[in-house]
């Protein structure tokens, strides 16, 4: 019998359709397509092709090297097709009952390697460098009073919106408004905190550690779980074990531990189902400089807990999901966890 499960944070229901349960090899039809560059097409993210991108915002390069040329290790550029623009002002206004504003914000691409490597081919050191650059970018964007939130994400594979060029990269988008998804989580975590005076994510971690049914792996400072109400097969969350609401305030000494655990989780999942399309998103607390909202933020340091969500794109979202806001997941997270845990790399 299928099971309805409720996500404890935001109250979203998921149907775990156990009667449609698949084995991991049945997901391999969703593997990532081979990269095919058109004849004469060059990868704009490779070292040596800097002139194919807008001028860089930042680059980690050897001292003395001029910008927008070779010799870098990690490079940050404005998006080639930005969703939001850093210039201009918001001009928030009403049109009758409708609200609108200019799409002001930031949209940056962090190119994680000068070589043409894809996700999964980067060394631990290279990923650590990229994360350090991303943290500096988030800290820089915090200084822009027009930006309320920075969303960091990855799209990998065409099915996940990753485009046809697979050069490893991360996107960050600084938005002038707070995000609906994050607001839902903030509301859920605050309600829980008001009632229990505890962080709901810390409670989830405690329960999962005790039960050991959905813990994929853990390290000294981080843990990867298959969430109880997973929306997608092989959905995984990575969280710090110690309570913290702001990713960008992470102790930089802990980044190697985080990278090791993430690489292990991705490596084992790939071993279980092959190279898979995915979205990877960071959920962290919004910037809190709005004095008027101080009461609203009063407990956020205690009630919210940052985390990454790995969302494999292996199933299609269709009419039922769009109409209901529910998700149908054909693989119980306990099974997904077992398959990934058992994969040997
Ligand atoms: Zn490339
Ligand atoms: Zn917590
Ligand atoms: Zn989240």
């Amino acid at each position: 019998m299928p099971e309805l499960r409720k996500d404890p944070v935001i109250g979203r229901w998921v149907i775990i359709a156990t009667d449609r349960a698949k084995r991991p090899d049945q997901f391999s039809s969703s593997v990532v397509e081979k990269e095919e560059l058109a004849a004469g097409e060059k990868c704009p993210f490779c070292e040596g092709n800097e002139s194919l991108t807008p001028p860089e915002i930042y680059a980690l390069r050897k001292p003395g090297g001029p910008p927008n040329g070779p010799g870098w290790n990690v490079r940050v550029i404005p998006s080639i097709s930005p969703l939001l623009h850093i210039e201009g002002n918001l001009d928030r206004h009403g049109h009758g009952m409708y609200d609108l504003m200019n799409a002001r914000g930031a949209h940056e691409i962090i190119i994680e390697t000068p070589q043409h490597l894809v996700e999964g081919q980067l060394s631990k050191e290279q990923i650590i460098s990229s994360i350090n650059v991303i943290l500096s970018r988030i800290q820089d964007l915090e200084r822009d009073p027009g930006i309320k939130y920075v969303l960091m994400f990855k799209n990998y594979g065409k099915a996940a919106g990753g485009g046809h060029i697979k050069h490893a990269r991360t996107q960050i988008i600084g938005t002038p408004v707070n995000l609906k998804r994050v607001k839902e989580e903030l509301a859920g975590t605050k309600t829980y905190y008001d009632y229990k005076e505890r962080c709901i994510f810390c409670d989830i971690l405690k329960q999962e550690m005790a039960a050991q049914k959905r813990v994929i792996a853990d390290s000294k400072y981080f843990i990867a779980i298959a969430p109880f109400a997973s929306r997608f097969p092989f959905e995984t969350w990575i969280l710090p074990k110690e309570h913290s609401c702001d990713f960008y305030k992470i102790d930089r000494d802990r980044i190697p531990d985080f990278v090791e655990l993430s690489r292990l989780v991705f490596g084992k999942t790939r071993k279980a189902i092959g190279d898979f399309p995915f979205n990877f998103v960071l959920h962290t607390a919004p910037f809190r400089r709005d004095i008027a909202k101080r009461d609203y933020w009063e407990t956020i340091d205690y009630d919210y807990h940052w985390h990454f969500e790995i969302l494999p794109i292996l199933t299609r979202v269709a009419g039922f999901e769009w109409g209901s806001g529910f998700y149908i997941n054909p693989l119980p997270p306990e099974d997904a966890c077992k398959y990934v845990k058992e994969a040997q790399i």
Side-chain angles (χ1 to χ4, degrees), residues 185 201 237 283 304 307 309:
E185 287 188 356
F201 284 102
W237 293 357
H283 282 159
Y304 194 63
H307 56 276
E309 299 185 2

Side-chain angles (χ1 to χ4, degrees), residues 188-204 206-207 243 299 302-305:
T189 56
K190 186 165 189 339
T191 305
Y192 189 89
Y193 187 85
D194 287 346
Y195 180 52
K196 302 204 181 188
E197 290 190 30
R198 295 198 305 265
C199 161
I200 189 168
F201 284 102
C202 285
D203 276 7
I204 290 174
K206 219 180 277 167
Q207 186 162 334
H243 180 81
T299 61
Y302 311 102
D303 69 46
Y304 194 63
H305 195 122

Side-chain angles (χ1 to χ4, degrees), residues 35 37 42-47 49 72 111 113-117 165-169:
E35 181 174 82
L37 295 178
K42 284 188 192 164
C43 171
F45 308 116
C46 276
E47 185 174 31
N49 296 344
W72 49 275
I111 309 169
T113 165
Q115 288 106 36
H116 194 73
L117 300 175
I165 296 177
K166 297 211 173 66
H167 195 124
R169 59 196 185 273

Side-chain angles (χ1 to χ4, degrees), residues 66-247:
N68 300 306
W72 49 275
N73 190 32
V74 179
R75 186 166 185 254
V76 184
I77 56 165
S79 170
I80 295 167
S81 46
L83 294 171
L84 299 163
H85 296 260
I86 203 79
E87 308 84 23
N89 55 37
L90 268 185
D91 188 25
R92 190 169 182 151
H93 59 284
H95 186 79
M97 64 163 296
Y98 300 116
D99 282 353
L100 55 161
M101 64 176 101
N102 289 330
R104 189 196 173 273
H107 188 171
E108 304 179 358
I109 311 287
I110 291 88
I111 309 169
E112 294 172 61
T113 165
Q115 288 106 36
H116 194 73
L117 300 175
V118 302
E119 299 293 337
Q121 291 180 322
L122 299 191
S123 68
K124 184 181 158 191
E125 290 65 34
Q126 190 70 35
I127 302 173
I128 294 171
S129 300
S130 301
I131 293 180
N132 276 309
V133 169
I134 289 167
L135 288 168
S136 313
R137 290 308 307 143
I138 298 177
Q139 280 157 355
D140 191 46
L141 290 169
E142 191 198 6
R143 288 196 277 273
D144 183 332
I147 291 175
K148 290 194 175 167
Y149 195 88
V150 175
L151 179 70
M152 164 187 169
F153 63 100
K154 269 179 187 293
N155 299 333
Y156 178 67
K158 263 190 209 162
H164 71 293
I165 296 177
K166 297 211 173 66
H167 195 124
R169 59 196 185 273
T170 295
Q171 303 190 46
I172 55 173
I173 295 196
T175 57
V177 290
N178 279 321
L179 309 183
K180 182 173 156 40
R181 292 264 174 207
V182 178
K183 271 192 191 165
E184 284 172 356
E185 287 188 356
L186 289 170
T189 56
K190 186 165 189 339
T191 305
Y192 189 89
Y193 187 85
D194 287 346
Y195 180 52
K196 302 204 181 188
E197 290 190 30
R198 295 198 305 265
C199 161
I200 189 168
F201 284 102
C202 285
D203 276 7
I204 290 174
L205 292 193
K206 219 180 277 167
Q207 186 162 334
E208 293 298 343
M209 282 300 272
Q212 287 295 326
K213 276 161 74 181
R214 287 172 292 267
V215 177
I216 296 167
D218 73 323
S219 60
K220 192 168 177 198
Y221 299 114
F222 298 92
I223 181 167
I225 61 167
F228 170 75
S230 291
R231 289 156 284 178
F232 309 107
F234 299 99
E235 176 173 345
T236 304
W237 293 357
I238 300 178
L239 309 91
K241 283 181 173 172
E242 232 169 66
H243 180 81
S244 162
C245 72
D246 292 305
F247 168 70

